[in-house]
Amino acid sequence: MLLAKHGRSAKILAGGTDLLADLKFATQVPDLVIDISRARDLSGIAVTDGGLRIGALVTHSELIASPLIRDMFPALVDAAHSIGAVQTRNVGTLGGNLMTCLPSMDSGPTLLALDARVTAASASGRREFALADLFVGPRKTSLGADELLLDIVIPTQNFGKPAGFQKFGLRKGQALALANAAAIFWMDQSTGRFVEPRIALGAVAPTVIRAPRAEAYLRGRSVTLEAMVEAGRIAATEAKPISDFRASAGYRCDLIAVLVKRALQDALALAQAKQPEAAA
Amino acid sequence: MIDVMIIVNGETRCASVAPETTLLALLRDHFGLTGTKIGCDVGDCGACTVIVDDQPVDACLMLAAQADGRRVLTIEGVASKDKLHPLQKAFEESGALQCGFCGPGIILSAKALLDQNPAPTRHEIRDALAGNLCRCTGYAKIVDAVSEVARVYRSEQSRG
């Protein structure tokens, strides 16, 4: 395998929207760029035994257009739609967005909150692990130099779990997130309480992170607006943002409180929309 | 060097290029198609938008090698021999362009939109053009021009 031979001196090109932009400013150019954009095994969106499998090379536009994704996880459509603009979404891939591993990636929070798993392969074999363990730091993943990301799988037990995604950027298009957030929970139909709530935050830590204290606060609590507001407030204390030319750390924390509340409201709206269906 | 063959505006063309050559450089420097503009060169401004296999892309963020074997439409291929494309006509009539530098990219983004969705809302038009920056006009007339073409398309369709 080419990667085994060249390791870190080779770069993988999936869609190229990040890689080519980076290379234009790079002081060191890779010895080899491996274009995998036409590897058909890495494309496609399908329900498999393990869950909903999304090939690493699925583009953001393909995610947006997929009836499966639209039906099961509209939050993933919202996230994909918030990336770049049409031109970059047509070429940029889900796997590429995860592997570039910017803290502000828009694909990360919803998938992280859905307990997504990923598969990586090298010449010596495959391994499957939690998406959470892929993220190491800004532009740093846990994949070895000889490994390639193959796919992302959302486990079957989370099919239909109501999810919301919210992003705040300085413009509606072509803007990195100053902060983004995903919120996901089941609502117990008889008691109206939060079950297995998950909250994930982007652009406010070295990687996309979960907000475990906010999740713990919601678990078993009645689904109310007050609880959502409080969860947002707690999540803001779990964010560890930096101040940079885009926004100050304090502003980002304020954003997280609002975005988490809104993402929870989006998830609730979905949960309520699904209720009559379940009753019938 | 890498040999590439692409179908540009309906015509099959070949070139031997350095591996790092972008589709943008291939079109401009090798094929002399300078209607595709170099703006930011990092995928922010959309001045280099071309349509590859029916999808608008930034030619600055695609290697020539990635486009190998694909169909590419540039602004030079939009008008027919003796007639402007309806979008070009509408842009001219509504004064949608001032300096014109963003024009080729915007026309191609708008064409890709209308080819897929002949009846877009104003919101859908703005979304489709979000990756094309214009520093002169403020976009209102651009969106007006695309809306007008969509309206004509629709009325033609309803007449059958």
Side-chain angles (χ1 to χ4, degrees):
Chain A
M1 230 176 123
L2 279 171
L3 271 179
K5 193 173 148 205
H6 292 272
R8 297 270 176 228
S9 61
K11 283 275 180 196
I12 298 285
L13 183 150
T17 51
D18 282 335
L19 181 65
L20 291 184
D22 288 345
L23 287 184
K24 292 183 192 201
F25 296 102
T27 46
Q28 267 189 319
V29 293
D31 295 342
L32 189 70
V33 170
I34 305 172
D35 178 8
I36 60 166
S37 57
R38 295 191 205 192
R40 255 186 244 146
D41 291 353
L42 305 189
S43 64
I45 301 167
V47 174
T48 64
D49 291 344
L52 180 69
R53 176 196 173 275
I54 308 172
L57 288 183
V58 166
T59 65
H60 306 301
S61 291
E62 285 169 342
L63 274 178
I64 294 167
S66 161
L68 260 182
I69 301 283
R70 224 164 241 281
D71 184 45
M72 294 170 79
F73 302 109
L76 287 177
V77 173
D78 293 341
H81 196 244
S82 78
I83 295 172
V86 180
Q87 291 94 321
T88 31
R89 293 196 293 267
N90 282 339
V91 183
T93 65
L94 177 62
N97 196 237
L98 298 174
M99 287 302 294
T100 299
C101 211
L102 292 179
S104 61
M105 69 168 90
D106 293 307
S107 303
T110 313
L111 288 171
L112 189 64
L114 282 167
D115 309 312
R117 300 182 68 76
V118 295
T119 316
S122 70
S124 51
R126 290 179 178 220
R127 62 187 179 109
E128 195 211 294
F129 54 98
L131 173 65
D133 296 328
L134 179 70
F135 305 139
V136 174
R139 293 181 176 271
K140 194 161 165 46
T141 73
S142 61
L143 287 206
D146 61 340
E147 283 186 303
L148 184 69
L149 184 72
L150 299 186
D151 57 33
I152 297 95
V153 176
I154 299 169
T156 314
Q157 69 262 26
N158 284 339
F159 280 11
K161 190 170 180 179
F165 172 80
Q166 287 281 332
K167 163 177 175 173
F168 189 86
L170 290 179
R171 298 173 302 277
K172 283 183 183 164
Q174 297 286 47
L176 294 180
L178 295 187
N180 59 21
I184 297 176
F185 61 88
W186 296 109
M187 187 163 74
D188 186 299
Q189 301 296 356
S190 54
T191 62
R193 290 175 190 277
F194 285 102
V195 177
E196 293 175 23
R198 296 272 189 279
I199 291 171
L201 316 175
V204 291
T207 68
V208 177
I209 55 166
R210 290 262 297 271
R213 288 206 300 278
E215 292 175 2
Y217 169 81
L218 289 177
R219 201 167 295 126
R221 203 169 283 272
S222 290
V223 178
T224 61
L225 178 62
E226 291 70 32
M228 294 180 185
V229 171
E230 180 60 13
R233 199 193 59 75
I234 296 170
T237 67
E238 297 181 81
K240 299 279 174 285
I242 55 167
S243 292
D244 66 7
F245 65 95
R246 285 195 188 89
S248 68
Y251 185 56
R252 286 190 157 104
C253 286
D254 289 351
L255 283 173
I256 284 296
V258 175
L259 295 177
V260 164
K261 181 199 75 177
R262 288 182 185 167
L264 283 164
Q265 288 177 304
D266 289 348
L268 174 62
L270 272 181
Q272 288 170 333
K274 280 179 186 175
Q275 241 171 347
E277 203 178 301
Chain B
M1 299 298 269
I2 294 182
D3 291 325
V4 294
M5 188 271 292
I6 62 174
I7 302 151
V8 188
N9 303 329
E11 190 186 329
T12 301
R13 303 186 74 162
C14 299
S16 191
V17 299
E20 67 271 22
T21 307
T22 60
L23 174 59
L24 177 59
L26 175 71
L27 292 169
R28 291 179 57 90
D29 303 341
H30 294 259
F31 297 157
L33 297 170
T34 52
T36 306
K37 300 303 178 197
I38 308 175
C40 69
D41 209 23
V42 287
D44 285 332
C45 78
C48 67
T49 302
V50 296
I51 299 178
V52 176
D53 288 347
D54 305 322
Q55 292 195 315
V57 306
D58 291 323
C60 73
L61 287 188
M62 181 175 274
L63 291 174
Q66 281 174 275
D68 184 45
R70 301 194 169 176
R71 283 177 293 117
V72 178
L73 181 74
T74 72
I75 191 67
E76 288 88 349
V78 168
S80 53
K81 250 191 194 120
D82 51 354
K83 218 168 107 204
L84 289 178
H85 185 276
L87 277 166
Q88 293 171 311
K89 195 88 190 124
F91 271 59
E92 183 190 7
E93 282 167 4
S94 52
L97 300 173
Q98 287 183 35
C99 86
F101 192 82
C102 67
I106 291 188
I107 298 264
L108 285 160
S109 284
K111 182 176 187 303
L113 169 70
L114 295 181
D115 288 348
Q116 284 164 19
N117 174 9
T121 62
R122 226 174 148 82
H123 177 78
E124 286 170 327
I125 293 170
R126 294 182 70 95
D127 189 53
L129 299 182
N132 293 88
L133 303 187
C134 166
R135 303 287 76 172
C136 306
T137 75
Y139 304 104
K141 287 182 176 180
I142 292 171
V143 177
D144 287 347
V146 180
S147 300
E148 174 58 18
V149 176
R151 193 189 62 76
V152 173
Y153 276 4
R154 276 200 302 279
S155 67
E156 280 171 5
Q157 273 180 348
S158 62
R159 279 204 305 271

